Amino acid sequence: MGKIKFYLGEEIPLELHKAKIVQKLDLVDVERRAAAIAEAGNNTFLLKNKDIFLDMLTDSGVNAMSDNQLAAMMIADDSYAGSATFTRLTDALKDIFGTDYFLPAHQGRAAENILAVTFVKKGSIIPMNYHFTTTKAHITRLGGRVEELVIDEGIKTDSEYPFKGNFDLEKLKALIMKERDNIPFIRLEAGTNLIGGQPLSLENIKAVSAIAKENGIITVMDASLLQDNLYFIKTREEQCRNKSIREITREIADAMDIIYFSARKLGFARGGGIATNREDLYLKMRELVPMFEGFLTYGGMSVREMEAMAVGLEETMDMDVISQGPLFIEYMTRELIKNGVPVVTPAGGLGCHLNALEFIPHVRQEEYPAGSLATAVYIAGGIRGMERGTVSEQREEDGSEHLAAVELLRLAMPRRVFTLSQVKYAVDRIKWLYDNRSLIGGLRFVEEPSSLRFFFGRLEPTSDWQDRLVRKFKEDFGDSL
Ligand code: F0G
């Protein structure tokens, strides 16, 4: 993908795969969509799939699997202990990361729990380029604190900077100088999720690793979105043009003490785990696996998923496979820009990100612009995105609202799932919404859980703006869904 030039000059990504199994989708009418989002408490996590046309909530656990992954699932070796499947998975990890030890966990956040319980205590400070919701929740639950050290460019939504996920090395050095004894590890998040799937450069990863080594601090990479990050290193980092994806992966892994991941993303399956070459760290964490996850050779995962993961990890070394997501996202981002819609640039991995603060500047951050936009995009097109703004933050200890640095609506691009015409439909409905943006209002909480509120909190519109949006849709689209 990516190298194919069209004679007619069109610049579109060309799929290097074919569909063998499909799932029928329904598109319910706009009135049902408005009713469905109200039933879901204006929280897209609470929508039911039967009401959704394009599920762009996440790329987690919903990527299309390959024929080879499905075939591998058939030979999975089920046993409580010592399964051959586990050996195949650890071999695959050793092959790509060069790691000798692997602790399986049922998904990424379970790996985060093991890491946090092992290393974080009250007063701990964990420097990272940027937090992820579940990561931060585990750290703060144990009395630790997250320090975000992403470069200033990282939170600029409109930028040309190719590696917006990079650490600010000076800030890192200054923090270590001050707090060395309170820092159990540094966390590097590949394909930085909450700022728009933005990558770290290999150069920056190595520099962070060198600083950590000088100071005797452990480095931990969250590799959940590594596949997109690898694509960007290969295509955007001059010194890496001639390196293979496998070589880049190995250089990253060699610079890290620990690599953990959600295999719902990396490896296109479902599961997760922690890989390391350091026996001392492995032994420190090991006993938590049977306690929280399951025996050491499955860690709460189905062996079928583990087989699929082993194959999926290997397929991640193929540029044709890992470029599909970023190229579709780049296409969607480019089309939206052509239509004047404010999106995060440069296009990152994971999904296309609408910038809610610019899309609806009249909605105050206290009224959750990214959350409102998520409900509006759903009403406009049956498209489910994910709020990545203030709703996804936790309140401060004193109960005050922690306003997010960016208010984004993420429209995830599960890999090899959507066709280009579906992406075009999404662009069309978002453009309509943008032209009618003055109709969009805010939201307020009616039920607010104290932790990870974005998952199951319920909200309501601050006025009848959604009814007005439905009326305008019917005026403009008539009988069309
Ligand atoms: N780290 C990153 C960077 C993630 O994106 C995720 C999940 C996790 C850790 C946790 O992994 O879901 O397997 O427990 N991100 C999903 C998303 C939820 O939609 O972005 P998990």
Side-chain angles (χ1 to χ4, degrees):
M1 220 183 220
K3 300 178 215 88
I4 297 134
K5 195 167 162 185
F6 280 66
Y7 174 60
L8 293 174
E10 229 185 331
E11 277 185 44
I12 51 174
L14 181 65
E15 296 86 343
L16 291 180
H17 57 262
K18 64 179 178 180
K20 289 207 204 177
I21 295 182
V22 294
Q23 178 182 349
K24 186 180 179 305
L25 293 175
D26 291 316
L27 178 52
V28 296
D29 65 35
V30 69
E31 271 154 352
R32 173 62 206 145
R33 300 200 291 264
I37 198 70
E39 287 164 19
N42 288 284
N43 179 346
T44 55
F45 275 101
L46 303 181
L47 282 166
K48 300 263 184 344
N49 264 5
K50 64 179 174 43
D51 293 317
I52 296 164
F53 176 50
L54 297 184
D55 192 357
M56 295 184 149
L57 183 74
T58 177
D59 62 336
S60 170
V62 289
N63 297 296
M65 292 169 87
S66 71
D67 46 2
N68 286 323
Q69 284 184 290
L70 288 176
M73 288 172 104
M74 290 293 113
I75 54 156
D77 176 32
D78 222 340
S79 71
Y80 189 85
S83 103
T85 293
F86 183 73
T87 309
R88 279 194 280 276
L89 178 56
T90 45
D91 287 351
L93 286 159
K94 186 169 172 63
D95 191 52
I96 70 167
F97 290 143
T99 45
D100 282 333
Y101 304 100
F102 178 57
L103 294 166
H106 75 272
Q107 60 185 94
R109 70 200 69 183
E112 289 174 337
N113 177 46
I114 291 168
L115 284 161
V117 169
T118 308
F119 297 107
V120 177
K121 54 182 197 295
K122 200 166 171 9
S124 294
I125 296 172
I126 319 295
M128 54 187 72
N129 43 348
Y130 209 74
H131 80 281
F132 183 68
T133 51
T134 55
T135 327
K136 186 170 173 178
H138 280 296
I139 291 168
T140 52
R141 187 178 74 86
L142 295 167
R145 181 160 65 81
V146 161
E147 270 294 335
E148 285 170 338
L149 302 176
V150 75
I151 51 170
D152 292 344
E153 201 69 26
I155 52 167
K156 278 196 201 135
T157 43
D158 191 9
S159 162
E160 290 308 312
Y161 198 77
F163 292 104
K164 281 166 55 176
N166 277 353
F167 272 77
D168 183 321
L169 300 173
E170 293 313 312
K171 283 191 191 154
L172 177 63
K173 284 185 207 155
L175 181 69
I176 293 175
M177 186 92 90
K178 215 166 113 219
E179 299 282 359
R180 164 67 200 90
D181 294 341
N182 295 321
I183 301 176
F185 63 85
I186 300 172
R187 172 178 173 275
L188 300 85
E189 185 179 314
T192 326
N193 189 327
L194 294 190
I195 56 169
Q198 299 292 329
L200 291 143
S201 69
L202 181 59
E203 189 186 6
N204 193 257
I205 292 169
K206 286 185 175 175
V208 171
S209 164
I211 294 169
K213 281 209 173 74
E214 268 165 36
N215 290 281
I217 301 174
I218 299 166
T219 44
V220 176
M221 171 161 284
D222 179 344
S224 306
L225 290 167
L226 182 66
Q227 69 274 37
D228 298 333
N229 207 129
L230 288 168
Y231 168 85
F232 291 124
I233 288 177
K234 169 94 180 150
T235 53
R236 294 183 185 172
E237 196 163 347
E238 198 50 49
Q239 306 88 301
C240 297
R241 283 266 149 79
N242 297 322
K243 287 182 182 163
S244 68
I245 294 295
R246 199 176 284 280
E247 283 164 346
I248 298 169
T249 308
R250 195 50 182 270
E251 285 187 38
I252 293 174
D254 286 349
M256 293 294 110
D257 292 305
I258 293 174
I259 297 171
Y260 79 90
F261 57 95
S262 167
R264 300 176 63 81
K265 296 177 184 250
L266 184 69
F268 315 117
R270 288 145 206 94
I274 305 171
T276 182
N277 242 335
R278 289 204 28 195
E279 192 184 18
D280 57 332
L281 302 180
Y282 166 76
L283 292 174
K284 257 187 161 168
M285 293 183 276
R286 187 173 64 174
E287 70 190 47
L288 296 172
V289 174
M291 196 183 304
F292 288 114
E293 300 300 309
F295 191 67
L296 277 179
T297 53
Y298 72 94
M301 285 186 276
S302 131
V303 281
R304 294 219 165 113
E305 295 295 340
M306 285 160 60
E307 287 286 358
M309 196 192 303
V311 174
L313 285 166
E314 188 52 44
E315 289 177 353
T316 302
M317 299 295 102
D318 181 341
M319 189 65 174
D320 284 340
V321 171
I322 60 173
S323 58
Q324 189 274 333
L327 286 173
F328 262 54
I329 293 161
E330 188 190 294
Y331 171 82
M332 183 168 176
T333 305
R334 194 171 67 221
E335 293 301 304
L336 287 169
I337 291 171
K338 270 191 211 159
N339 284 294
V341 178
V343 287
V344 173
T345 55
L350 208 178
C352 177
H353 293 73
L354 306 185
N355 179 0
L357 285 178
E358 279 183 30
F359 200 113
I360 38 173
H362 53 280
V363 176
R364 291 184 309 119
Q365 242 187 313
E366 289 77 6
E367 293 187 350
Y368 312 121
S372 307
L373 190 56
T375 68
V377 167
Y378 172 72
I379 292 171
I383 301 158
R384 168 158 80 161
M386 189 190 287
E387 195 272 0
R388 299 275 77 159
T390 298
V391 178
S392 298
E393 294 286 344
Q394 287 170 227
R395 280 188 191 267
E396 304 290 0
E397 268 167 28
D398 66 4
S400 65
E401 196 64 89
H402 180 94
L403 299 179
V406 287
E407 291 281 340
L408 306 179
L409 174 62
R410 178 179 93 181
L411 298 165
M413 197 71 77
R415 289 151 193 89
R416 296 182 289 191
V417 168
F418 297 129
T419 62
L420 207 63
S421 52
Q422 289 171 330
V423 174
K424 284 188 176 193
Y425 164 84
V427 170
D428 183 86
R429 289 302 187 263
I430 293 165
K431 167 65 173 157
W432 172 80
L433 195 60
Y434 187 61
D435 289 347
N436 290 283
R437 60 192 178 278
S438 61
L439 291 175
I440 304 174
L443 296 175
R444 62 179 158 243
F445 270 102
V446 284
E447 273 176 51
E448 187 180 345
S450 57
S451 165
L452 297 176
R453 62 185 183 174
F454 62 94
F455 279 136
F456 32 82
R458 299 181 69 85
L459 303 100
E460 64 181 10
T462 51
S463 70
D464 67 346
W465 66 264
Q466 292 180 339
D467 301 334
R468 282 185 277 129
L469 195 64
V470 170
R471 279 201 295 278
K472 184 69 170 46
F473 184 94
K474 287 169 73 178
E475 259 170 58
D476 291 352
F477 290 98
D479 287 342
S480 167
L481 298 171

